Amino acid sequence: MHETSIAMGFLESLSQLLEREKAKKVVKVRVRIGKLSGIVVDSFVFAFDALKGQFKGLEETELVVEESPIRYRCNSCGHEFTVETVFFPECPKCGAVDLKLLSGEELQVIDAEIEV
Ligand SMILES: [Zn+2]
């Protein structure tokens, strides 16, 4: 499963963060996952919980996921808008299809609560 390797990589980077900060554990971590990232949130959370026991200091880490919407800016009129579907988006204001993707592809850490 795709999400398993992403969760594994994410846990490894959290583990490195602990080492760098010389901290005991990560209590809670918040991440933002874009709807275009290709990550199934439920699978990602499941994999995270299944794997975290292998990492010292991450055994009890609480994972909070925020899904970020798909946002575009119209290159024609500058209007910014959010869409639910990725198929053939067009500007709701002027109908242009020349759009710039602003968000939706990210897997990004918002913040982490660390106990030292
Ligand atoms: Zn437009």
Side-chain angles (χ1 to χ4, degrees):
M1 196 166 58
H2 175 59
E3 282 74 12
T4 307
S5 57
I6 298 169
M8 191 52 123
F10 181 57
L11 281 158
E12 278 164 6
S13 60
L14 278 179
S15 173
Q16 283 162 13
L17 172 79
L18 275 184
E19 239 171 77
R20 211 166 50 228
E21 302 286 327
K22 304 205 182 338
K24 264 198 303 236
K25 62 180 181 179
V26 178
V27 180
K28 189 173 176 177
V29 63
R30 287 200 300 153
V31 296
R32 183 174 292 134
I33 296 179
K35 283 189 178 172
L36 287 180
S37 63
I39 300 170
V40 179
V41 172
D42 286 349
S43 304
F44 180 70
V45 173
F46 182 82
F48 182 91
D49 285 337
L51 295 168
K52 66 184 181 183
Q54 302 173 21
F55 294 84
K56 194 174 174 300
L58 303 178
E59 297 95 334
E60 288 163 15
T61 302
E62 187 192 342
L63 176 67
V64 180
V65 175
E66 287 181 13
E67 272 187 281
S68 67
I70 308 163
R71 273 191 79 75
Y72 288 101
R73 184 192 296 125
C74 175
N75 283 332
S76 180
C77 74
H79 183 57
E80 289 185 13
F81 58 99
T82 302
V83 293
E84 289 303 320
T85 162
V86 298
F87 301 107
F88 309 114
E90 61 177 38
C91 176
K93 223 172 171 181
C94 74
V97 291
D98 181 17
L99 309 169
K100 182 182 172 14
L101 183 67
L102 298 177
S103 75
E105 286 181 312
E106 67 276 32
L107 168 62
Q108 186 189 358
V109 176
I110 303 167
D111 55 27
E113 210 177 294
I114 292 169
E115 199 176 293
V116 288

